[in-house]
Structures are given as structure tokens and as C-alpha cells.
Amino acid sequence: MLQRERIPLLWAFIQALVVVAMCFNDMEPGPGAGGSTQPNGDRFKIEGRAIVPGIKTQDWVSSARILVEGEEYVGFLRTDGSFAVNDVPSGSYVVEVVSPNYRFEPVRVDITSKGKMRARLVNYIKTSEVLRQPYPLQIRASGPHSYFMKRETWGWTDFLMNPMVMMMVLPLLIIVLLPKVVNTNDPEMRKEMEQSMNMLNPNPELPDVSELMTKLFSGSKGSSKAGSSSKGTRPAAKRR
Amino acid sequence: MAKLILFCLKITTLYLTVNAVFEDQVGKFDWRQQFVGKVRFSHFDSQAQSSKKVLVATENNVFAALNTRTGDLFWRHVDKTGPEGNIDALLHHGQDAVLVVGNGRLLRSWDIGVGGLNWEIVLDFGSFQSACLVGQQDTTKHVAVLKKMVISLHYLSNGHLKWIENLPESETVDYQAVYSGGNGEVYALGLGPHSHMQIVTYSLEDGEIIKQVSVEAPWLSNIQANCVVIGRGMLVCVDSPTLSLYMLDLHEQSQMTQIPLQSLGLEVAPGFHPVLVSTQPNPARQPLSEFFLQVAPEHHVLLQLNNGQLVTLRDFKPATLVAFATTGEKTVAAVMSPKNKTACSLNLFSAETGRRLLDTTLIFNMDPNGGKPEKLYVQAFLKKDDSVGYRVMVQTEDHTLTFIQQPGRVMWTREEALSDVVTMEMVDLPLTGTQAELEGEFGKKADGLMSMVLKRLSSQLILLQAWISHLWKLFYDARKPRSQVKNEVTIENLSRDEFNLQKMMVMVTASGKLFGIDSKTGSILWRHYLDNIPSNAAFKLMVQRTTAHFPHPPQCTLLIKDKDTGLATLHVFNPIFGKKSHVTPPALPQPILQSLMLPLMDQDYAKVLLLVDDQYKVSAFPSTKNVLQQLQEMASSIFFYLVDSSQGRLSGYRLRTDLSTELIWEVVVPPEVQRIVSVNGKRPNEHVHSQGRVMGDRSVLYKYLNPNLLAVVTESTDTHQERSFVGILLIDGVTGRIIHEAVQRRTKGPVHVVHSENWVVYEYWSTKSRRNEFSVIELYEGMELYNSTVFSSLDRPHAPQVLQQSYIFPSSISTMEATLTEKGITSRHLLIGLPSGGILSLPKMFLDPRRPEIVSEQSREENLIPYAPELLIRTEWFINYNQTVSRVRGIYTAPSGLESTCLVVAYGLDIYQTRVYPSKQFDVLKDDYDYMLISSVLLALFFATMISKRLAEVKLLNRAWR
């Protein structure tokens, strides 16, 4: 527990240091960089460790690789998840852990001609910006790759929560339930209802939509007749 | 910053739904096949009796473990290409496999169970010679590596150096081999001056030189090829000019003893170089004293060293291949001898006595379309009754691995030639037999009304019959459980499906083996091995006749050109069946410079192939009278171009009526400043649906659609990062007019280009900012079209408007291609092969030079995405999800019968086939379309109306009674 708390503290300290310094100082060795560089002619070694939380290393190391600047240099993972890419000349490289199942963030590693190393966040837009990362690299998987889209599944809840459905269902409920709640056998109530219905019903003189349609489609000669007849029958039906 | 985030969010919401794979689509229409390449070294994991692993190290720098039961991969490690990843040696001990990589630069140890790395160490510079495991007192703890100047010994457990010693007189002595017999000594063998062989004996403990002997051997030139160590440190060498064996005891003698082969009663085939094969089953012990001597291509002899005397144990004639194998304490020899023309028989012999073991015959049937057996790997195991059983892995010339069990059952085959696909085409499948019959009716000449009617009736009858039998089959299959229904595709029942989604993939591999693969399942339907293919051949595959012309078979032509001499041959074949065509291709005595397919057809509907030789003479294939006549008529409108990249010259030619050519233009790119890297035309089968783009103000910006446009990419010869550059030239291939020229300073290749419609997309490495960048050039005619009916390069007075924009891409790329659909209505995507193995489908929308920096009403109307410098890689856009394709070299796209669908094949070390829908599936019902829901809703509605109608009636009746 204590250990765990100490690491972010240390990390914050390093970051603060970076913010203060802001530019790369050759004299300042990266954490642990001093011992790990192994000058070999003019070739150097990039070291680090990749971690997939919660997964045994032997389950994923055989399908993973370390790619340095595309496929220019290739490294493999040891059975404990650590790796070393040998034979890399000085320069600046993007180091990636490539696994078909887990996602790792790439890291930019700068190697000076003397073999000093530092790791920083990859930023392709502001290429000179330095946000320090620990070296030897500690690359933690940020979870499995999300390759797939979710299918739109059809469920009753989705259907019911649809605003259109809500708009339809609520009035329906009112229509069905209101007569049950209000006693329709009460003659006073009925009178009141009828009145309100009449209020709701628009002016009976106004032509109905259906009538308009029939007028339109049934030609010119019979239209007035049909219109009048329908006008005549409608109130009759109502009366009944 | 906030703006940027907002914008990113907007993009993600906008394009979240575009182009991705759904999880339930996995394996539905896509498949992947993984390969390892031509096997160089192979070892069976014989540690445990039940082990199923065979380790292979290949010429493609791949180290893998295969399952011996199924042939599938347990794991595979793909190293860098080229000499730096080259596997020089594979040593196998217990759970560890030690590899020497990159000409002795790296020493790696792998855990073969997990497939993880145990350790990796860097060795000093110096060319690698040989390596061996060193053991003592029955345990193997060290590995010795011999280089040009030094010999070093490393611990097997952690790779640490035990000792390293400079080789004595390494300037003059050429050390070639290292050997250890398990007695605490390590021998380094080399060839010194004055035709002497130098033998240096080191102590295993501290690397001290125990002894240094020089032996006269004037005839010896290569120790590893001619010598083996047998028995108690006896060096045996073979010399072909004198036809004799030389023997030397490494411990005592300093003089070689010569044994003429004739004294053993052996005769060497004239011109044959004899070969020795020995075996050392355990590195901690001495090798066996039995060994094979091959004296003729089909003649092997098993010899034994017995009390200093060589004894012939058995004479094998005919015997093409031999191999030793050890299980437990028993060592056996497997001998392959030809049985008849198509089969070989294998037999097992006891190594100690040369006696044949009973019931060990195994028959290997050779593929008539394959190569001859080349190598034999034997896995021996002890059966329950303590007798020896075995399985063999046969490697043939066409890089095929075949794993056979007794008595000849092929457990699996791996076509490793497919790891090196050079070029491919997708050919439409033919119609079914009955449909073809019907079509054939129209192809034939008419012979009378009555017979025509009869023919029509009979063919309709056949169709009816086929339909009924199809229905019957459907019904019959439906009753069976699903697992039992087998839909095996064979060459007989191949037929085109409704939407032409299933096609024949014709693949040409570097080894010269051709494959026909069913695109739906990935099963190999035919294979054909072309022998005598030069090792550095260039291939070009062309479809001369498709399956659309029924009575005539489809026809493909493969142009095989030797890159050194320029001499070419043609192989004409039927792409559906793989059979060589009856059409005899013309002999091509002259080197070929260029080949082009014309849209012209001869009377048999075969497209005309023109070949230009180094005398600038043109020959046609097929060259019938009809073709020549058509050519004469068309000659004035046939143009072609030649590229000479060494002199930086691009030249355009026109065909004359007498089939000679005339130079009409020439563009010289100064070769001392820049060199031509690639010349990219457009694909001939590409359709562009819309002539222009509708702008926000409802005007139309017309595209510049020049079918003759070439994109020429150049790279600077100066590779200094301050001065290097990448240039792109857009040249009209007919007139030689330079339409546009662009230069990207402080950049370098490799450049990947896609040229299509009115745009060119290319990718390069920016040395200034150390990142990969994309650039897009689009060409527009302007607001008016000059001649809207037909495009002519000769009559186009206005130069097009050129728009260009660049973007940052957060990864390097391996290859790039654009999607292609039937009519070109569907929007385009770029398919980008990444080194990580993913294939990214990037909408072309993101690479649009009209993306505005400031969003306006009009750009919003046009659906333009605001400019952002960085293109994103979203894993949802990977069309191959976790089915990574290693070392993608090419992506092939082909249209299908559906406008929405494009067929994609990515090839490299692996092959991956899938379909993509750049604008989603707008022309077919989605595969998750819920038939159940829609039919249940319909039914429910129907019943609801029925019931409510009934209820209404009842109510009306009741009311009437009231």
C-alpha cells in the first residue's frame, strides 16, 4: 500500500521536474537509464516491460511484438513481459507494443549519440514537446481493442421508451381508464360529458376531411348531391 | 484546444456508425490463412511422447511451431525482413530452441511451450560460420558459436557468455565448422593456407586451447558441405574428383587416410557430387558411427565405421531421400524410394544394422501439379510394444509441406508458396451447367425455326428439372442437423452466386506455383506448379477472356519475365480449372519492355495483348488476321509509354499501322538529382459515377477525369535529411503534357500511392517532423465542362484546377489501395495495411483537399469535415479485427455484383479475404434484419384487425337491439 502511494508521488515529482526544465538536458539521466545502456559500437538497446493487467503473460506474449518506427526494428517479448530491442542506432523512435488483442499506447524514445535515453509521450503535432515517461519503458495495456460495433438490439424497453410510443400510449390509457374511474352511469356526469364533447367537437357546419375527399374524387356532377346526402345522414347517425 | 476536442467529439459521433464489423459477422464472409514460408530448418519436439509440436524456421525469417495433428500454428514469430532477420541456425534442446539471427548478430532462445522469448543477446560483429550445442556427461548446458574471428560459448539457461576466444591465425585460416562430441572438448575446424586443415581443440571449462593440429588436405574446399563427424570423433570427408573418402581421427591422428570409393565397391554417377549424412542424436554424446553416402541422385549407401574399417551395411537403390530419426535409445533411418510416376514409398531401417523394420511402409502420393520431394523430416516414436513408429513431413520443390502418417494417410498439407504471393486476379465464376447450357443456345448458329423451338423447350425442361432437384435437396438438407450438411466446394459444383460475391482468386507466387482459391471459403481448388521459373522473375497476370463468353473458356495469361535478361515467356491457362490452354502462346525471342491489354477483342472474344520488345516492335497475342486488321484500323489511337528509371526517362509512343512505333514525347527526370520510384496509372475497370461535385451554393465543380493520367513519383538521390525530397508529377500518358508538379521538401520514401478518379493520395516520411504524412491532390475542370461527351487528351485546352492538402498519419504503412465497386456510386475508402497487421479502412472523405479550416454555412451544406491535421486510427475501422495480416505486401480490391460491396484480399505472409461496405449495405437487407419481428408484427396486426372487427360487429348488433 505504502509502495503504491509512493509511485505516483515520485511520478509527480518527475513531472514537475520536466515542467521546470521543459527542454531535454543531456546531463540529466532518465530514471534507471544509466545502468541499462550497453554501448555496442554505435548501437543501443531499448528496454522495457509491457503489462496486461489481469492476464497471464504466457497467454499473450507469443502473439505480441515490439515495433520500433514501423517495422524498422523488431523486438520480442520475454515470457515475463519484459523486452529489449537490440541494435538500434541513436535517433528518435516511436516504440509500440503490437498485440492483436490488447491496446498499448506508443512511446517516443530518444537516444543520443552517447547512448543516453529518454522516453516521452508521442505527439505528432507538436513534435518537440516533452512529456516524460519512465525509462526503462513501462507500457501498460489500456484494455482490449474494441474492433466491433454494437448491434442495435430490439428490446421491449427501447420500444416503450420511444417518445412516439409514449405519446400514443398515454392518451390510450386515459381513454380506457377514465370511463372506469368516472362513473358514467351517473346522469349528471353524462350530461357534463356530453357538453364537453360538444365543446370539443368543432363547428358541425365545417366540412369533414372525408367529405372533402369524396367531393374531390367523385367528379363534379354528383358532388353536391353526395355532399348533401352525407350531411343529411350524419346527424341521423348521431342521433341514434 | 477546446475547439479541437469538440471537433474530435463531433467526428466520433458523426462517424461512429460508419464502416465497422459487427461481432456476429466474424468469420461469416471473411477468412484468414497464415503461412510461414519455405522451411529452412525443422525439428520435431520429441521431448514428451505426446508432444504435437514441430518447430520450423523459414527463409522468410519466421520461426513458428506447428501442430503435427492439424498443421495449424501454435505460435509464430515474424522477424524483420532482409538479412538482418535471417535465421542462420536452429538448435533445439528440450524446451528451448536457440536461434542464430542476422548473420550471427543475435542469439535468441525461445520457450517452445509458451512461444515466449527466454533471452536474447547481441554477439559481436563478424560473419557467422557455424553453431552447435555442447554437452558433457549427458547434460547439455552450452551453445558454441563460431564466427570468422572468434569462438564463444554461452550458457543455454540465460545466454551469458562462458568464454570467448580469438581463433588462432584467423586472418589466414577460414574457420567453417564447430563440433563437440560430449567429451569436454570443442573443436573448431578451418581451412588454412597451403591447403591445410586447421583443427583447434578448446577446453569446455575455460576455453583454453588444448591442441592445435594442421592436417594436409589440398582437395578440401568446404568443410560443412563435404565433411561429417562420426563415432568417436572421426572426421569423414568426401572428395568428388578423386572419388574417395578421407578419414581423420580428431583426437590422435595428424594424417588423413584415403579410402577410394571403389574399394568399397561403390560407383559415383558421373558429374554428381557425393553427399554425406550423419546424425548426433544427443549433443552430449558422440555421433553414431553409421552414416549415409549419396553417390547418385537416386542411390544412397548406409555405411558403418567398425573398428576403424568402413563397412557397407546396406545399399539403397533407388532412393531419392534419406533421413535419420531418433526416439529413446533407438535411431532409425527413413529412406524414400520412387515407386511409380506418381507415388513414392518410404521404409524404415534400423540404423545400427541396416535391417528393414517390419510394417513400416508408407506411401507418399505426389501431386502431379506439384514439385518433386526435396527434404524429409522424420518424427519417430515408440509404440506400446516398443517397436518404432513414425510420421514424416515431406517438403517439395514448390515449398509444400505434407505430413503423412502410416500407411500413407495425409494428415495435412501446407502450401507455403502462398506466403509469397506476387500478383493476383479475381475471376467471375461460370454460371451453373444448366444456365450455361441455356446461354450456349444463343451462342450457336441458328439452324431452322423448328429446331430452335425444340431446343428452347428442351433447355427450359432442363431448367425446370434442375429447379425441382434443387428444391428437393433443400428439403432434404433441412431435415438433417446443420452440422451434417456439408457444403464442400469442389471444382465440379462451382457456380456463380446471386450477387457475384463468390469468385475465383487466381494467385501467382514467387516460387512459380499458381493457385485457384475459392474466395468464399478459402479452399484451394486447383494448383499448378510451373518449373523452370527464374529466381528473379517478374510476373504480370492478365485476364484475356472472362467467363461471360460461354462456349469459349475463360482465359488468363501470365507473363513471366526474367529481370536480368528481359526475356519473357507466356503461360496461358484457364483460370477456373487451372489447366493449361490449348492456345499456343507465341515464342518471344526478344526482351520485352512493356505489355498492354487493349480493349479490342478478337472474334473469339479474347482481349488483345500487345508486347513491345527492345527493338520497339510490337507483337500481338492472339495475332489472327481479324486482330491485325482491327489493330491497323485503331493504330492511330493506340499510345503507350515506357519508363527507363536508370536514365530517368519517360517516353510516349504511338502505334503505326505496320505495327512499328514512333516516339511522340519524352520527359527526362535528371537521374543525378532524383530517380523515378513508381509510375501509377488508373485502374482500367474503374467507373466514376458522378462527373462533378455539388457545391454548397448548388453550382457544380466538375472533376478532371483524364483516363490517361499518370502519377510519377520521384525521390531525391541525395538522402541527407535536410535536402531529401519527394516529388510527384502528373503527366498525360498520350501527349506527355505535365499537368501538375508537386514537391515535398525534407521528406523521403518509401512512397505509397493510390491514383483513382480525379485524385492522387500518397504517403511519405517527413524527416523534419519524424512522422508519416498523407497528401492528397484533386484535379477539377472548374465550373464548366469543356467537352462533356468524351474525354480526349489531345483536345483539352484548359489546365485543371489543382487542390492539395496534407495530413499527419500516426503510423507507418505497408501498402495502400482504394475500394472499387461495380458502378462507382458508393463512396470510396482507402484500405491501408499497417505494420501492426491491421487493415484500416479510411474514408476518402478525410482526405479531401476541400476540407475547410473555418466552417462556413456552405461547407456544412456540402458535408465537408473541418480540417484537422491528424488523421485518426480507430480500431473499429480495422476490417480484419484481430485477424492480423503479417507483412501485408498488397491489397487487391474487386467489385462484386452488388454496388455496395467491394471484395478485398490482403496478401503478404498471410492471406485475408473479406468484403467491405464503404457506404453500408444500402442495396440488400442487412444481415441482422429481423424477419421474426416484422412477420410477428404483421400477424399481430392482422389478428388485431380481425378481432376488433368482430368486436365492433357485436357491439353494433347489441346497440341495434337496444
Side-chain angles (χ1 to χ4, degrees):
Chain A
M1 196 64 210
L2 231 152
Q3 275 272 333
R4 229 184 258 170
E5 267 173 42
R6 204 177 289 163
I7 289 165
L9 231 153
L10 202 124
W11 181 216
F13 176 66
I14 291 165
Q15 266 190 335
L17 223 141
V18 170
V19 170
V20 172
M22 210 53 206
C23 62
F24 184 44
N25 188 352
D26 258 2
M27 296 311 290
E28 177 201 282
S36 63
T37 48
Q38 210 181 53
N40 204 334
D42 278 320
R43 300 289 180 121
F44 307 100
K45 180 156 123 185
I46 299 173
E47 281 184 303
R49 174 189 284 271
I51 304 144
V52 182
I55 306 286
K56 275 193 220 151
T57 46
Q58 56 257 46
D59 293 344
W60 64 273
V61 286
S62 64
S63 60
R65 283 203 295 171
I66 313 295
L67 297 185
V68 179
E69 210 63 66
E71 240 174 341
E72 218 159 302
Y73 304 96
V74 176
F76 299 98
L77 286 141
R78 292 200 198 100
T79 38
D80 61 350
S82 62
F83 62 84
V85 184
N86 287 302
D87 250 7
V88 184
S90 61
S92 174
Y93 305 96
V94 175
V95 179
E96 276 175 288
V97 182
V98 172
S99 161
N101 298 321
Y102 301 101
R103 188 173 62 231
F104 296 89
E105 292 299 320
V107 178
R108 185 176 281 282
V109 173
D110 302 321
I111 309 173
T112 64
S113 54
K114 284 175 191 153
K116 289 275 193 304
M117 307 271 212
R118 70 164 176 188
R120 55 187 170 114
L121 272 185
V122 178
N123 189 337
Y124 285 109
I125 298 171
K126 285 187 206 156
T127 46
S128 55
E129 192 184 53
V130 179
L131 280 173
R132 272 293 184 101
Q133 295 269 299
Y135 187 90
L137 302 170
Q138 292 285 332
I139 306 178
R140 188 174 277 269
S142 52
H145 280 302
S146 57
Y147 289 117
F148 302 112
M149 300 299 304
K150 261 244 163 88
R151 277 254 191 240
E152 285 173 32
T153 48
W154 196 88
W156 283 104
T157 47
D158 299 349
F159 177 73
L160 288 178
M161 289 302 151
N162 193 335
M164 292 299 280
V165 174
M166 297 276 263
M167 264 161 65
M168 268 166 59
V169 167
L170 277 178
L172 206 87
L173 278 178
I174 292 166
I175 289 168
V176 173
L177 290 182
L178 258 184
K180 296 267 178 335
V181 177
V182 185
N183 193 358
T184 41
N185 287 336
D186 189 10
E188 269 178 43
M189 202 57 154
R190 194 179 278 180
K191 214 178 217 172
E192 217 171 275
M193 288 258 290
E194 250 168 39
Q195 265 178 7
S196 62
M197 285 299 268
N198 280 343
M199 289 273 282
L200 269 177
N201 231 17
N203 200 345
E205 298 304 310
L206 269 178
D208 218 47
V209 181
S210 55
E211 279 170 36
L212 255 171
M213 283 295 159
T214 43
K215 252 187 216 169
L216 260 172
F217 290 110
S218 59
S220 53
K221 57 169 187 179
S223 65
S224 58
K225 243 188 212 169
S228 64
S229 72
S230 74
K231 239 180 210 171
T233 50
R234 211 169 63 99
K238 251 217 163 141
R239 227 170 283 141
R240 193 164 33 131
Chain B
M1 194 63 200
K3 226 178 199 175
L4 200 102
I5 291 169
L6 207 87
F7 164 72
C8 287
L9 267 175
K10 213 152 107 196
I11 287 191
T12 44
T13 46
L14 245 173
Y15 297 98
L16 206 74
T17 50
V18 170
N19 200 268
V21 186
F22 294 107
E23 194 153 10
D24 51 88
Q25 287 180 327
V26 165
K28 227 173 180 181
F29 44 73
D30 64 324
W31 50 263
R32 175 179 68 163
Q33 288 174 6
Q34 291 186 301
F35 299 97
V36 293
K38 186 189 180 188
V39 173
R40 183 180 283 167
F41 306 107
S42 176
H43 280 284
F44 285 96
D45 176 21
S46 53
Q47 199 198 16
Q49 199 66 258
S50 58
S51 176
K52 292 187 287 188
K53 284 197 181 81
V54 54
L55 303 174
V56 289
T58 70
E59 308 210 328
N60 293 30
N61 305 351
V62 174
F63 179 52
L66 305 177
N67 186 337
T68 54
R69 305 285 148 83
T70 60
D72 297 333
L73 291 170
F74 277 118
W75 45 258
R76 180 180 72 171
H77 290 290
V78 182
D79 207 344
K80 277 171 81 168
T81 50
E84 282 171 65
N86 192 34
I87 298 171
D88 301 317
L90 164 63
L91 305 167
H92 172 216
H93 177 75
Q95 272 291 82
D96 301 330
V98 179
L99 293 181
V100 183
V101 179
N103 199 8
R105 186 74 181 125
L106 295 169
L107 195 64
R108 275 195 195 124
S109 168
W110 294 95
D111 183 320
I112 60 170
V114 182
L117 192 66
N118 287 326
W119 46 261
E120 174 182 296
I121 55 157
V122 186
L123 302 176
D124 286 340
F125 288 103
S127 78
F128 170 77
Q129 297 296 332
S130 170
C132 78
L133 292 169
V134 182
Q136 197 177 17
Q137 289 157 0
D138 277 3
T139 51
T140 308
K141 282 186 183 156
H142 304 98
V143 55
V145 179
L146 181 79
K147 291 199 155 194
K148 198 106 199 153
M149 314 286 264
V150 292
I151 180 167
S152 57
L153 201 74
H154 301 265
Y155 289 100
L156 262 183
S157 53
N158 51 18
H160 290 175
L161 191 71
K162 180 160 181 166
W163 48 260
I164 181 163
E165 293 294 329
N166 283 323
L167 291 161
E169 300 159 47
S170 57
E171 302 83 40
T172 50
V173 181
D174 178 20
Y175 287 94
Q176 291 179 346
V178 61
Y179 158 77
S180 165
N183 53 358
E185 288 169 354
V186 181
Y187 301 89
L189 312 177
L191 284 180
H194 321 299
S195 318
H196 274 65
M197 183 155 76
Q198 182 98 323
I199 300 160
V200 187
T201 313
Y202 289 93
S203 157
L204 172 62
E205 286 311 314
D206 48 9
E208 209 176 309
I209 295 177
I210 296 173
K211 210 163 70 178
Q212 189 174 343
V213 194
S214 187
V215 182
E216 201 176 336
W219 40 270
L220 194 59
S221 60
N222 187 340
I223 297 177
Q224 278 194 333
N226 294 328
C227 299
V228 292
V229 181
I230 56 162
R232 285 184 52 253
M234 192 68 94
L235 186 74
V236 180
C237 297
V238 67
D239 179 40
S240 51
T242 56
L243 295 178
S244 47
L245 289 174
Y246 288 88
M247 288 215 301
L248 173 78
D249 193 326
L250 289 175
H251 304 291
E252 294 146 21
Q253 285 169 317
S254 55
Q255 191 74 37
M256 286 217 165
T257 42
Q258 186 182 10
I259 304 162
L261 286 175
Q262 263 179 333
S263 70
L264 296 166
L266 297 171
E267 239 172 76
V268 178
F272 184 77
H273 187 89
V275 182
L276 291 166
V277 182
S278 72
T279 181
Q280 185 177 10
N282 188 342
R285 295 198 201 156
Q286 61 197 35
L288 291 192
S289 44
E290 290 81 18
F291 63 101
F292 273 110
L293 172 67
Q294 186 180 13
V295 289
E298 293 203 347
H299 187 190
H300 286 78
V301 187
L302 183 64
L303 296 169
Q304 186 185 39
L305 182 73
N306 201 344
N307 297 330
Q309 290 294 313
L310 282 180
V311 187
T312 308
L313 282 182
R314 197 173 177 124
D315 203 339
F316 298 101
K317 193 177 181 182
T320 47
L321 292 171
V322 293
F324 283 111
T326 305
T327 173
E329 294 295 307
K330 285 184 184 169
T331 299
V332 289
V335 177
M336 180 187 260
S337 46
K339 198 176 173 211
N340 52 37
K341 269 192 177 161
T342 59
C344 289
S345 69
L346 278 145
N347 279 297
L348 221 53
F349 297 86
S350 161
E352 279 147 45
T353 57
R355 215 178 308 126
R356 197 175 90 87
L357 300 176
L358 289 175
D359 299 327
T360 54
T361 308
L362 191 152
I363 306 293
F364 169 61
N365 288 309
M366 284 190 287
D367 184 359
N369 296 319
K372 289 196 201 82
E374 203 175 44
K375 260 187 200 173
L376 202 60
Y377 305 99
V378 182
Q379 181 191 29
F381 54 88
L382 284 176
K383 289 185 194 163
K384 279 191 186 123
D385 57 350
D386 222 29
S387 64
V388 180
Y390 72 121
R391 305 185 189 98
V392 287
M393 189 164 80
V394 184
Q395 185 181 3
T396 46
E397 285 172 338
D398 52 346
H399 308 179
T400 308
L401 294 178
T402 313
F403 197 77
I404 317 165
Q405 201 180 23
Q406 269 179 291
R409 193 168 73 86
V410 174
M411 292 179 78
W412 47 264
T413 50
R414 288 182 70 89
E415 292 287 356
E416 291 302 338
L418 283 171
S419 68
D420 214 350
V421 174
V422 184
T423 175
M424 66 166 292
E425 282 288 341
M426 269 184 159
V427 183
D428 291 352
L429 289 176
L431 302 162
T432 53
T434 45
Q435 280 171 310
E437 185 103 347
L438 200 67
E439 287 222 334
E441 183 196 336
F442 303 109
K444 283 165 203 153
K445 297 278 179 292
D447 46 3
L449 189 71
M450 206 49 206
S451 63
M452 284 279 275
V453 170
L454 277 178
K455 219 182 256 174
R456 161 43 63 101
L457 280 178
S458 68
S459 52
Q460 292 287 14
L461 252 174
I462 291 167
L463 268 185
L464 186 74
Q465 201 182 346
W467 185 65
I468 289 169
S469 69
H470 173 73
L471 278 187
W472 173 247
K473 193 169 176 292
L474 267 185
F475 175 69
Y476 197 74
D477 283 349
R479 294 190 313 169
K480 280 196 224 167
R482 182 160 287 191
S483 57
Q484 280 186 16
V485 181
K486 274 189 186 165
N487 286 331
E488 284 225 345
V489 186
T490 56
I491 225 152
E492 283 76 36
N493 62 19
L494 265 188
S495 65
R496 198 182 298 180
D497 60 340
E498 263 176 297
F499 298 127
N500 201 3
L501 290 166
Q502 186 179 7
K503 294 199 183 196
M504 177 67 87
M505 292 159 52
V506 180
M507 300 194 117
V508 181
T509 63
S511 65
K513 198 169 187 185
L514 311 182
F515 291 90
I517 300 177
D518 171 34
S519 75
K520 197 173 174 188
T521 59
S523 52
I524 297 169
L525 296 177
W526 58 262
R527 54 206 101 193
H528 188 88
Y529 180 59
L530 302 171
D531 28 16
N532 343 312
I533 296 287
S535 58
N536 57 346
F539 297 91
K540 188 175 176 185
L541 182 64
M542 290 154 286
V543 182
Q544 278 201 297
R545 192 192 296 128
T546 61
T547 35
H549 312 283
F550 166 65
H552 305 289
Q555 184 178 321
C556 270
T557 303
L558 180 67
L559 179 74
I560 306 149
K561 182 176 155 183
D562 191 320
K563 270 184 197 158
D564 293 340
T565 60
L567 288 174
T569 49
L570 289 174
H571 175 68
V572 186
F573 62 99
N574 181 331
I576 303 299
F577 300 105
K579 290 200 188 80
K580 201 172 171 184
S581 171
H582 301 298
V583 183
T584 44
L588 306 167
Q590 296 283 342
I592 298 297
L593 294 180
Q594 174 75 293
S595 67
L596 53 156
M597 287 286 281
L598 297 183
L600 296 181
M601 285 191 197
D602 72 347
Q603 71 273 31
D604 290 341
Y605 306 100
K607 280 188 189 160
V608 178
L609 174 68
L610 284 193
L611 297 161
V612 185
D613 63 22
D614 63 344
Q615 305 295 311
Y616 303 104
K617 282 269 186 320
V618 172
S619 54
F621 169 68
S623 58
T624 54
K625 225 178 207 173
N626 177 301
V627 170
L628 294 178
Q629 197 183 343
Q630 284 191 59
L631 273 180
Q632 273 182 7
E633 286 164 16
M634 295 283 292
S636 62
S637 61
I638 294 174
F639 299 85
F640 61 91
Y641 67 92
L642 296 175
V643 186
D644 184 350
S645 56
S646 63
Q647 295 182 27
R649 189 183 296 139
L650 271 158
S651 28
Y653 291 84
R654 183 220 290 263
L655 198 67
R656 288 211 194 112
T657 47
D658 59 344
L659 292 191
S660 62
T661 57
E662 62 175 323
L663 182 75
I664 49 173
W665 59 267
E666 198 169 57
V667 172
V668 178
V669 178
E672 54 277 3
V673 182
Q674 50 187 331
R675 62 198 163 83
I676 297 173
V677 181
S678 67
V679 178
N680 298 277
K682 289 179 189 174
R683 289 178 65 161
N685 57 345
E686 169 185 284
H687 293 274
V688 182
H689 184 256
S690 56
Q691 291 278 309
R693 286 177 62 163
V694 182
M695 318 297 296
D697 58 359
R698 298 289 179 272
S699 61
V700 176
L701 185 61
Y702 286 100
K703 295 175 185 170
Y704 178 77
L705 297 169
N706 183 349
N708 311 317
L709 197 66
L710 304 173
V712 181
V713 179
T714 60
E715 276 178 38
S716 62
T717 46
D718 189 350
T719 53
H720 187 272
Q721 60 168 356
E722 295 290 321
R723 296 185 293 272
S724 66
F725 63 88
V726 166
I728 190 155
L729 277 171
L730 300 180
I731 296 181
D732 189 303
V734 170
T735 58
R737 180 179 173 191
I738 296 177
I739 308 286
H740 182 63
E741 188 173 7
V743 167
Q744 240 81 23
R745 293 196 187 285
R746 298 183 69 183
T747 56
K748 63 172 187 172
V751 183
H752 300 273
V753 193
V754 172
H755 182 192
S756 180
E757 284 189 40
N758 64 329
W759 47 264
V760 182
V761 172
Y762 57 106
E763 186 264 2
Y764 48 84
W765 169 259
S766 162
T767 53
K768 185 185 163 201
S769 321
R770 290 191 302 249
R771 63 192 179 200
N772 291 283
E773 290 181 1
F774 264 98
S775 196
V776 56
I777 297 177
E778 287 198 0
L779 302 170
Y780 290 98
E781 293 245 334
M783 293 300 173
E784 273 169 41
L785 211 52
Y786 175 71
N787 178 355
S788 60
T789 48
V790 70
F791 189 96
S792 168
S793 287
L794 301 170
D795 178 33
R796 218 67 181 175
H798 310 299
Q801 297 172 11
V802 181
L803 303 173
Q804 184 160 16
Q805 217 170 50
S806 297
Y807 314 88
I808 302 163
F809 192 67
S811 167
S812 64
I813 74 170
S814 306
T815 185
M816 184 159 68
E817 186 54 85
T819 59
L820 190 69
T821 51
E822 182 85 13
K823 296 272 179 275
I825 300 167
T826 309
S827 60
R828 309 290 296 268
H829 278 204
L830 288 174
L831 300 170
I832 301 166
L834 303 176
S836 66
I839 295 165
L840 182 77
S841 176
L842 184 72
K844 169 70 180 54
M845 258 171 126
F846 284 101
L847 295 163
D848 182 349
R850 302 190 64 254
R851 279 175 71 174
E853 280 185 46
I854 302 145
V855 189
S856 68
E857 197 58 46
Q858 289 204 353
S859 69
R860 201 170 295 143
E861 188 97 325
E862 252 186 275
N863 266 336
L864 291 176
I865 309 159
Y867 180 77
E870 191 168 356
L871 296 169
L872 298 174
I873 297 183
R874 293 164 51 83
T875 44
E876 283 91 344
W877 289 346
F878 283 5
I879 58 170
N880 57 341
Y881 47 103
N882 69 355
Q883 306 285 298
T884 52
V885 186
S886 291
R887 289 195 200 140
V888 195
R889 252 196 326 275
I891 296 174
Y892 179 88
T893 52
S896 71
L898 284 175
E899 171 55 31
S900 66
T901 311
C902 169
L903 305 176
V904 177
V905 181
Y907 55 88
L909 191 60
D910 306 336
I911 297 174
Y912 181 77
Q913 190 276 144
T914 190
R915 300 170 193 165
V916 292
Y917 315 100
S919 304
K920 293 188 136 186
Q921 281 179 286
F922 56 80
D923 47 6
V924 279
L925 286 181
K926 276 188 226 148
D927 52 0
D928 66 333
Y929 189 77
D930 207 336
Y931 294 94
M932 275 308 283
L933 181 76
I934 197 101
S935 47
S936 56
V937 164
L938 272 177
L939 272 177
L941 278 176
F942 177 72
F943 282 114
T945 42
M946 294 285 279
I947 291 162
S948 56
K949 193 179 167 193
R950 178 79 194 137
L951 285 178
E953 270 174 13
V954 169
K955 201 172 181 184
L956 269 179
L957 196 66
N958 284 343
R959 202 177 279 177
W961 275 108
R962 206 181 285 161

